[in-house]
Amino acid sequence: MNIECKESEIIEFKQSLATIDDAIKTISSMLNKHHRGTIYFGIKDDGEIIGIILTDKNKRDIVEKIKTKIKPIIYPSIEEIKINNKTICKISFEAYDIPYSFEGRFYIRVGTTTSQMEISAIKELISKDISLEMEKRDSLISLNNLDTDAFTSYKNLINDKYKKFSDVKILEKLELTNGKNFNNAGKLLFSNSSSINLRMAMKWPDNAVYNDIEIKTNIWNGIEKSIEYLKQNINKKTIVSENHLHNKIEYEIPFECLREVVINAFVHRQYLNSAENIITITDKEVVIYSPGTFMGNTKPNDYLFGEGISRRRNEILANALKFCGYIEKFGTGIKRTYDICKERGIDFNIKTDNYGVFVSFSRNNFLDNKSKNQKNVDDLDELKNITPNNWKILLLLIKHKELKIREISNKIKLSVMQTNRYINKLIEEKLIIKNNQYCSLGLLKEKILFHALLTIGFDDINDINYNITTIKKEWEQIYNSSKQKVLLHELMNKFNHVNFKYNIKYSDLEKCLESLYDEIQTMWIKQYNI
């Protein structure tokens, strides 16, 4: 009996497992030509079924050999099929991260034969854009898996005339669907079946890693989380106007530049593998990495100097982000970012390797670069939330470690209901924790102290004879002799306070705070008669 299909550029018959190496070579050639294929063992070239003996060990060995001999690694599916009491082995595979090599050599499928590729053909294969085909393929993920929060956020940015459309109609207009399912582009952008790996971390000279976050996300949330992480962990200062009505937060790296690079990192990356998007913050630079090199023969400098022709790897994704205004004009963002950074004295660099693109921003002495008319303070809006009664509660817990709500109420001379409101606000700020009726400090006392130090000089406690300049001098004297230093920026940024700029070790930080803590605590307790 013969099998119904015939050998072709995506189908190959093998009589026995003895020809496994030749079959794996054929797999690599099919992937390089069609990104998919099927190999049958137990069938002659003319389609006659002769069968094989197939054990679980055979199956494991086949998978292991394929993983070992083909690079990049692929993960085929193996199926045992019975036809007229004869066993055949069906190996199916699909992958898009071309080119694929077999034992270090590259092959291409031509008709029903496998041929080794010339160097010129390999170069052409590498530059070939297959992402559009990938984007349009059915992801098999239902539209019911729409991340509604992410999509609502997206819709808020689009033209008003489209907001009246249903979600499905908008997705169809954006070419993100295949009937009732997302296509791969839609899945990546808006599905709640999170599939993109995102890692963000801060690394310092002593090899310590802080704020290390690894998540799986869709593109929309990935962009938002990346930008939020950067905003929280780089330096900022508030430019305070005379009437406080037009205060402006300025980041050490312009926000529009960070946003541009983060969007590019997600929209133009290579999605044919599962590599991570990575954000790394060090004391010297911010680096944003995305998998996949530049398209065609373009190089980073082509874009830096405005000479690059925009080639979009992910056409559908790019158009969807342009539709909401995240992308203004194709091919101009990198040049615009370069110009802004140059004006601000920030080194902006793009480097590539065989696997991806590294975009870096230098971190300069941002906190020192302010004009005489600018006042460098922490975010006043945040400090306004820490009222005198908030501080009374915090200082009571510093002094007594743990108190019942009624005890706090009695000491600050407020009703239990009023006290509860203040406590709930502090719980939201993660400054305290409540366990049944008992309250205690929720964070390290360093955070409380930082708030106190940075609040000194503002309205509620302007009569305290202890100012930021004096404290900075004390810190400088203590730490100028420290042998092992890391940037205090990491800790300060974690708490959203960037007024201090001295390099210290975290363990030394605690010692320093101890030396200041008693004095500050005494002043505060005296101030509020606690």
Side-chain angles (χ1 to χ4, degrees):
M1 177 180 176
N2 287 25
I3 195 166
E4 292 182 0
C5 59
K6 296 180 179 180
E7 284 191 326
S8 67
E9 288 201 334
I10 58 172
I11 295 174
E12 175 82 351
F13 299 150
K14 296 292 181 185
Q15 292 190 39
S16 73
L17 294 176
T19 59
I20 183 64
D21 281 4
D22 189 59
I24 296 174
K25 183 197 298 183
T26 300
I27 290 174
S28 72
S29 74
M30 290 179 176
L31 289 172
N32 286 332
K33 185 75 172 281
H34 296 286
H35 325 302
R36 66 186 187 279
T38 306
I39 305 288
Y40 292 93
F41 286 98
I43 302 177
K44 289 183 177 182
D45 290 345
D46 61 5
E48 181 186 352
I49 299 173
I50 57 176
I52 60 168
I53 296 174
L54 186 64
T55 66
D56 288 340
K57 183 179 183 306
N58 291 148
K59 294 177 185 177
R60 289 193 298 270
D61 289 345
I62 292 170
V63 171
E64 192 58 37
K65 272 203 167 189
I66 292 173
K67 287 170 59 178
T68 301
K69 291 180 177 289
I70 291 183
K71 301 298 178 187
I73 293 175
I74 68 166
Y75 298 91
S77 64
I78 297 183
E79 185 180 355
E80 182 177 331
I81 301 174
K82 295 281 188 181
I83 299 180
N84 290 344
N85 294 322
K86 292 180 179 178
T87 299
I88 60 175
C89 176
K90 177 183 178 183
I91 302 177
S92 303
F93 44 91
E94 182 173 3
Y96 295 87
D97 198 9
I98 59 170
Y100 290 91
S101 66
F102 168 75
E103 295 183 340
R105 296 174 182 270
F106 296 89
Y107 298 88
I108 193 77
R109 187 73 166 173
V110 180
T112 59
T113 63
T114 297
S115 303
Q116 187 170 339
M117 298 176 69
E118 300 290 338
I119 293 177
S120 59
I122 297 172
K123 289 181 177 180
E124 176 63 25
L125 185 65
I126 292 172
S127 64
K128 183 181 178 183
D129 183 8
I130 60 168
S131 294
L132 187 58
E133 180 182 346
M134 181 280 295
E135 283 188 292
K136 290 182 175 179
R137 282 184 176 272
D138 194 328
S139 71
L140 304 181
I141 301 296
S142 167
L143 296 181
N144 293 331
N145 289 291
L146 176 69
D147 184 331
T148 53
D149 289 339
F151 197 59
T152 298
S153 174
Y154 176 87
K155 288 192 297 183
N156 289 336
L157 300 176
I158 66 176
N159 190 296
D160 287 342
K161 70 179 181 180
Y162 296 110
K163 291 180 180 178
K164 62 184 179 182
F165 292 4
S166 68
D167 289 353
V168 172
K169 285 292 183 185
I170 296 174
L171 290 169
E172 288 174 352
K173 178 173 179 57
L174 297 172
E175 299 184 74
L176 297 174
T177 68
N178 281 351
K180 296 182 178 180
N181 292 341
F182 284 109
N183 57 23
N184 282 328
K187 172 192 171 185
L188 289 167
L189 188 55
F190 290 128
S191 167
N192 58 23
S193 300
S194 301
S195 57
I196 302 168
N197 296 308
L198 171 62
R199 180 167 186 175
M200 303 175 284
M202 306 178 71
K203 297 181 180 180
W204 300 123
D206 63 350
N207 294 321
V209 177
Y210 302 96
N211 285 7
D212 190 0
I213 298 173
E214 291 185 69
I215 59 173
K216 285 187 177 294
T217 180
N218 57 40
I219 289 176
W220 188 262
N221 288 334
I223 291 171
E224 297 299 309
K225 291 177 186 298
S226 296
I227 291 173
E228 186 61 30
Y229 184 87
L230 288 165
K231 288 171 66 175
Q232 288 179 354
N233 292 293
I234 63 171
N235 292 330
K236 66 181 179 182
K237 59 188 176 188
T238 301
I239 312 303
V240 183
S241 63
E242 290 186 5
N243 57 13
H244 285 225
L245 294 177
H246 302 289
N247 295 345
K248 178 183 176 183
I249 294 178
E250 183 178 324
Y251 294 92
E252 62 174 303
I253 299 168
F255 172 73
E256 62 267 37
C257 296
L258 292 172
R259 181 175 171 271
E260 175 72 29
V261 173
V262 166
I263 290 171
N264 284 344
F266 279 94
V267 174
H268 301 308
R269 65 155 281 180
Q270 174 66 271
Y271 283 106
L272 304 180
N273 58 49
S274 57
E276 298 173 312
N277 278 57
I278 302 173
I279 294 175
T280 307
I281 300 175
T282 74
D283 59 321
K284 302 294 184 186
E285 62 183 358
V286 173
V287 181
I288 299 172
Y289 169 80
S290 61
T293 56
F294 282 89
M295 292 292 295
N297 296 318
T298 55
K299 297 179 176 58
N301 282 351
D302 295 337
Y303 293 97
L304 291 177
F305 301 111
E307 299 170 358
I309 298 173
S310 177
R311 292 195 63 192
R312 299 181 290 280
R313 173 179 281 113
N314 305 307
E315 188 85 26
I316 296 175
L317 292 176
N319 288 334
L321 270 293
K322 190 174 188 296
F323 190 74
C324 73
Y326 262 27
I327 296 174
E328 294 179 14
K329 184 179 178 182
F330 293 127
T332 63
I334 294 179
K335 175 67 166 58
R336 187 168 56 249
T337 298
Y338 173 79
D339 290 342
I340 294 172
C341 288
K342 184 178 180 181
E343 183 179 338
R344 286 277 297 270
I346 297 169
D347 292 332
F348 175 70
N349 290 296
I350 303 175
K351 296 180 180 178
T352 61
D353 62 13
N354 292 331
Y355 303 100
V357 178
F358 300 81
V359 179
S360 64
F361 299 87
S362 66
R363 303 186 70 190
N364 302 324
N365 294 322
F366 168 74
L367 294 178
D368 293 333
N369 297 332
K370 57 178 181 177
S371 71
K372 293 180 180 179
N373 296 323
Q374 293 173 346
K375 186 178 180 183
N376 182 11
V377 297
D378 193 43
D379 189 341
L380 294 176
D381 290 333
E382 180 181 351
L383 294 176
K384 286 175 183 175
N385 293 330
I386 310 299
T387 65
N389 282 325
N390 290 140
W391 281 114
K392 287 180 183 181
I393 294 171
L394 292 172
L395 289 161
L396 281 169
L397 293 176
I398 289 172
K399 186 174 181 179
H400 299 285
K401 308 299 182 188
E402 186 178 72
L403 288 171
K404 288 184 176 180
I405 295 175
R406 186 167 293 281
E407 292 173 325
I408 296 173
S409 169
N410 292 335
K411 288 180 182 294
I412 63 176
K413 296 180 174 56
L414 292 175
S415 69
V416 172
M417 183 179 296
Q418 288 175 308
T419 303
N420 248 324
R421 283 204 298 268
Y422 286 112
I423 286 173
N424 288 336
K425 181 63 179 175
L426 291 169
I427 290 172
E428 286 179 20
E429 298 288 336
K430 300 182 181 178
L431 291 171
I432 68 173
I433 56 176
K434 185 166 72 171
N435 185 12
N436 295 324
Q437 286 298 307
Y438 285 92
C439 295
S440 59
L441 291 178
L443 292 176
L444 297 172
K445 87 183 161 188
E446 284 84 10
K447 178 162 184 177
I448 309 304
L449 182 57
F450 288 151
H451 273 286
L453 296 181
L454 292 170
T455 309
I456 289 171
F458 293 105
D459 296 338
D460 290 332
I461 50 169
N462 53 20
D463 58 337
I464 291 185
N465 242 340
Y466 208 87
N467 59 57
I468 293 293
T469 304
T470 303
I471 294 171
K472 283 185 177 180
K473 288 179 179 176
E474 288 190 36
W475 281 52
E476 187 173 11
Q477 291 169 0
I478 292 171
Y479 287 106
N480 270 348
S481 59
S482 179
K483 294 180 180 179
Q484 295 181 337
K485 300 180 180 181
V486 294
L487 284 179
L488 177 59
H489 287 316
E490 185 279 327
L491 187 61
M492 302 309 292
N493 287 337
K494 187 184 293 186
F495 298 148
N496 293 323
H497 299 302
V498 295
N499 295 68
F500 297 92
K501 61 182 189 305
Y502 302 108
N503 299 341
I504 65 168
K505 188 178 177 183
Y506 183 80
S507 58
D508 290 335
L509 171 65
E510 293 184 292
K511 296 175 186 176
C512 175
L513 288 169
E514 289 297 335
S515 70
L516 297 175
Y517 187 69
D518 290 340
E519 185 176 353
I520 297 294
Q521 181 179 329
T522 300
M523 286 190 293
W524 272 94
I525 290 175
K526 181 180 178 181
Q527 172 75 10
Y528 290 115
N529 298 317
I530 294 176

